[in-house]
């Protein structure tokens, strides 16, 4: 056995077996697990093989002048429902039975235009917490409804990485390194496994069509998130592969050129407790966080303060992040409700992009 282990230099591993010759291995080899499984055994490759594959991948991408874009599905590109009411909703796509239950998806508005914009610039991949069957069904639907779109087999589901327990890792999709990869997702918290990958995430507003439609069937779906995302991704690609030739060495820094302009010159004071990801986004998008409201240019809160000259609703903050541009704080100020002489916490009015000249100009710029 020892001689077998010593002589096996094949790069692929399946559990504690060599995937090529079947030799039993002692588990001490340095390997990197990938997002593929056979039965219950994890497939991995040696670090040397992973580095070689990553190097070849990077050279190929630079030759094609492409970056990589990892796409989340649910609440990013679409929303899924198993509610029978979804079957009668116009524009909903049926996936048939998945795991014994009928599934319907509503594709986010502008999806085809989004793929038309990013497809020439990015090699696309899907990474979802859904099952393998669900991921395959959605990938097929996206390809059918967005002609020319391809994922090249780069579709990762929770079944491929069960040990991650709800987290995501670029290393499983791109063993050896993901230097050219950006991520489109509505969540940051799932990208903290091992090395923190949140800097690569262009965060989007969670798409929750059915949640709103079932309450108000007549409500118009005015979501234009993907137009904003496409603009930021196109700008990042142009910065990484400038028209004059050459290649930059930091894709995150190229995306940050757009993000840091959002709150540039702003000093934000969060008057209410927010999670760590809000604070990260504030700084990633160019803001300076202060602990004294007197030093702030914007006092961010859901509740209107007594002195509201510098008040910015928390929704304003998130719409600025999601749209990757500075919004007018006035636009997100709700009317001041008064009940029994006390102020209630209010939600700002949701803006509709169809009436937004900037959004219309963006559509014309990207897709005309």
């Amino acid at each position: 056995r020892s001689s077998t282990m010593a002589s096996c230099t094949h790069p692929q591993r399946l559990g504690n077996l060599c995937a090529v010759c079947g030799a039993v291995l002692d588990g001490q080899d340095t390997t990197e697990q990938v997002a593929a499984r056979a039965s219950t055994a994890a497939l991995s490759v040696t670090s040397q093989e992973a580095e070689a594959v990553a190097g070849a991948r990077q050279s190929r991408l630079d030759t094609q002048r492409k970056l990589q874009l990892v796409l989340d599905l649910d609440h990013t590109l679409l929303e899924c429902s198993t509610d029978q009411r979804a079957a009668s909703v116009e524009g909903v796509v049926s996936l048939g039975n998945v795991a014994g239950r009928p599934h319907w998806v509503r594709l986010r508005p502008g999806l085809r235009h989004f793929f038309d914009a990013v497809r020439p610039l990015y090699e696309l991949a899907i990474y979802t917490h859904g099952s393998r069957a669900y991921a395959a069904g959605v990938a097929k639907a996206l390809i059918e409804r967005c002609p020319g779109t391809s994922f090249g087999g780069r579709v990762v589901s929770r079944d491929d990485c069960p040990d991650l327990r709800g987290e995501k890792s670029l290393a499983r999709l791109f063993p050896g390194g993901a230097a050219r990869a950006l991520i489109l997702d509505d969540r940051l918290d799932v990208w903290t496994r091992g090395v923190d990958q949140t800097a690569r995430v262009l965060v989007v507003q969670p798409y929750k069509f059915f949640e709103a439609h079932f309450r108000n069937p007549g409500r118009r779906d005015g979501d234009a998130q993907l137009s904003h995302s496409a603009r930021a991704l196109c700008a990042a690609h142009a910065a990484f592969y400038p028209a004059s030739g050459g290649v930059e060495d930091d894709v995150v820094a190229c995306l940050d050129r757009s993000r840091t302009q959002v709150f540039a010159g702003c000093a934000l004071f969060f008057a209410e407790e927010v999670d760590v990801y809000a604070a990260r986004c504030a700084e990633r998008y160019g803001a300076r966080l202060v602990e004294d409201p007197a030093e702030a240019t914007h006092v961010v809160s859901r509740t209107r303060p007594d002195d509201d000259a510098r008040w910015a609703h928390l929704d304003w903050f998130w719409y600025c992040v999601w749209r990757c541009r500075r919004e007018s704080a006035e636009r997100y100020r709700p009317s001041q409700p008064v009940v029994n002489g006390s102020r209630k916490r209010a939600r700002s009015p949701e803006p509709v992009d169809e009436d937004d000249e900037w959004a219309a100009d963006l559509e014309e710029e990207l897709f005309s």
Side-chain angles (χ1 to χ4, degrees):
R1 179 183 173 186
S2 60
S3 61
T4 302
M5 288 190 293
S7 61
C8 178
T9 58
H10 295 122
Q12 291 86 21
R13 305 286 189 262
L14 189 60
N16 68 335
L17 300 175
C18 172
V20 179
C21 68
V24 179
L25 307 171
D26 61 8
Q28 296 180 356
D29 291 318
T30 302
T31 63
E32 296 192 24
Q33 193 169 330
V34 298
R37 299 181 71 82
S39 183
T40 58
L43 178 66
S44 60
V45 297
T46 62
S47 293
Q48 293 89 341
E49 176 73 359
E51 292 172 3
V53 170
R57 182 193 311 125
Q58 184 168 309
S59 296
R60 173 177 55 78
L61 289 168
D62 287 345
T63 298
Q64 299 173 345
R65 297 185 73 77
K66 280 191 172 186
L67 296 172
Q68 294 163 307
L69 181 60
V70 180
L71 299 164
D72 174 55
L73 294 180
D74 294 280
H75 304 308
T76 297
L77 299 185
L78 52 90
E79 187 184 19
C80 178
S81 177
T82 58
D83 190 316
Q84 290 286 345
R85 292 176 294 174
S88 60
V89 177
E90 183 179 358
V92 165
V93 178
S94 173
L95 298 183
N97 284 342
V98 180
R101 299 180 66 186
H103 284 60
W104 295 271
V105 294
R106 168 76 175 202
L107 302 182
R108 196 163 203 159
L111 188 61
R112 182 170 179 175
H113 288 325
F114 172 80
F115 279 128
D116 286 346
V118 301
R119 187 172 55 243
L121 311 178
Y122 288 83
E123 184 177 84
L124 305 176
I126 288 174
Y127 201 145
T128 176
H129 277 156
S131 68
R132 184 184 294 121
Y134 173 73
V138 171
K140 180 181 178 182
L142 293 177
I143 291 169
E144 289 176 350
R145 285 157 181 78
C146 304
T149 300
S150 172
F151 302 103
R154 296 174 293 273
V155 179
V156 179
S157 71
R158 66 166 182 251
D159 297 333
D160 302 310
C161 307
D163 59 304
L164 294 187
R165 302 181 183 277
E167 295 182 304
K168 296 180 178 180
S169 170
L170 283 178
R172 296 298 175 87
L173 188 57
F174 305 121
R180 301 290 189 267
L182 294 175
I183 303 164
L184 193 71
D185 204 323
D186 67 300
R187 293 178 59 181
L188 292 170
D189 59 309
V190 298
W191 291 103
T192 57
R193 176 82 173 198
V195 177
D196 189 330
Q197 301 153 103
T198 56
R200 296 182 180 272
V201 180
L202 181 63
V203 67
V204 301
Q205 180 182 9
Y207 182 57
K208 298 183 179 180
F209 169 80
F210 292 114
E211 187 176 296
H213 181 81
F214 292 152
R215 291 199 309 265
N216 180 10
R219 180 180 182 272
R220 191 160 61 102
D221 187 358
D223 185 279
Q225 174 65 65
L226 293 178
S227 293
H228 301 286
S229 300
R231 181 176 184 272
L233 290 168
C234 290
H237 180 276
F240 194 85
Y241 293 115
S244 59
V247 178
E248 292 293 321
D249 60 359
D250 189 342
V251 69
V252 173
C254 290
L255 181 58
D256 280 342
R257 294 187 189 182
S258 295
R259 291 191 293 198
T260 55
Q261 295 303 308
V262 174
F263 296 123
C266 293
L268 304 186
F269 173 77
F270 287 104
E272 300 161 346
E273 185 177 357
V274 295
D275 63 33
V276 64
Y277 301 106
R280 287 186 188 182
C281 280
E283 294 180 324
R284 175 66 62 184
Y285 284 69
R288 179 171 60 90
L289 298 182
V290 298
E291 297 182 359
D292 183 351
E295 300 176 2
T297 59
H298 297 78
V299 176
V300 182
S301 171
R302 289 191 179 92
T303 305
R304 182 188 295 268
D306 292 329
D307 179 9
D308 64 0
R310 290 172 293 134
W311 177 43
H313 197 282
L314 184 61
D315 286 355
W316 164 81
F317 168 79
W318 280 115
Y319 274 99
C320 289
V321 170
W322 294 328
R323 294 179 172 182
C324 207
R325 62 159 177 174
R326 180 86 61 84
E327 297 273 311
S328 166
E330 291 286 340
R331 187 181 185 187
Y332 294 82
R333 289 186 175 185
S335 59
Q336 180 177 327
V338 179
V339 178
N340 297 328
S342 63
R343 293 186 176 92
K344 292 177 61 179
R345 206 162 81 160
R347 177 174 176 81
S348 73
E350 183 174 346
V352 178
D353 257 346
E354 280 73 13
D355 300 325
D356 188 334
E357 293 182 0
W358 186 92
D361 292 343
L362 174 61
E363 290 281 356
E364 182 177 356
E365 173 189 339
L366 289 177
F367 307 129
S368 61

